[in-house]
Amino acid sequence: MERDLAQVMAERWPDRPPEELRMAAMLAIGALRLAQEDWRRDHATHPDTARPLAEHLEATFALLDRQVPPAEGKERPRSSSDASANFGNA
């Protein structure tokens, strides 16, 4: 999955170094996997009140955001659309 995502990202941002794209893909797919685990656990224990997968994914990316410092001289994007735009311009 990481390789496929990195290939798509390379098409979108052809000027970015491949290793940066692979790392970003790895982090994104890892976050997705963790969010899916939490979502499945949530549904198993609370099927009637479980949060949607999107909320688990947002929480997982928020945790990742707190764990990984921004690149030197770069600001964190305020929304996911900002993140996509900023990734292409970094």
Side-chain angles (χ1 to χ4, degrees):
M1 284 176 43
E2 291 88 348
R3 186 178 315 131
D4 294 337
L5 179 56
Q7 287 174 347
V8 170
M9 293 169 73
E11 291 172 13
R12 173 107 159 94
W13 298 292
D15 296 336
R16 298 301 297 241
E19 61 275 3
E20 284 184 18
L21 298 175
R22 288 181 61 211
M23 181 62 71
M26 181 194 70
L27 291 170
I29 296 300
L32 176 60
R33 287 183 175 134
L34 291 173
Q36 285 177 319
E37 287 177 14
D38 290 345
W39 178 70
R40 287 184 187 118
R41 191 176 317 110
D42 194 17
H43 272 271
T45 56
H46 310 288
D48 295 333
T49 59
R51 296 180 300 149
L53 177 58
E55 287 184 22
H56 286 277
L57 192 56
E58 287 176 13
T60 303
F61 272 107
L63 175 61
L64 179 63
D65 193 45
R66 291 190 303 273
Q67 297 296 316
V68 178
E72 191 171 320
K74 302 287 183 183
E75 259 187 61
R76 291 234 189 255
R78 300 289 181 229
S79 71
S80 59
S81 60
D82 291 342
S84 179
N86 287 344
F87 186 82
N89 295 328

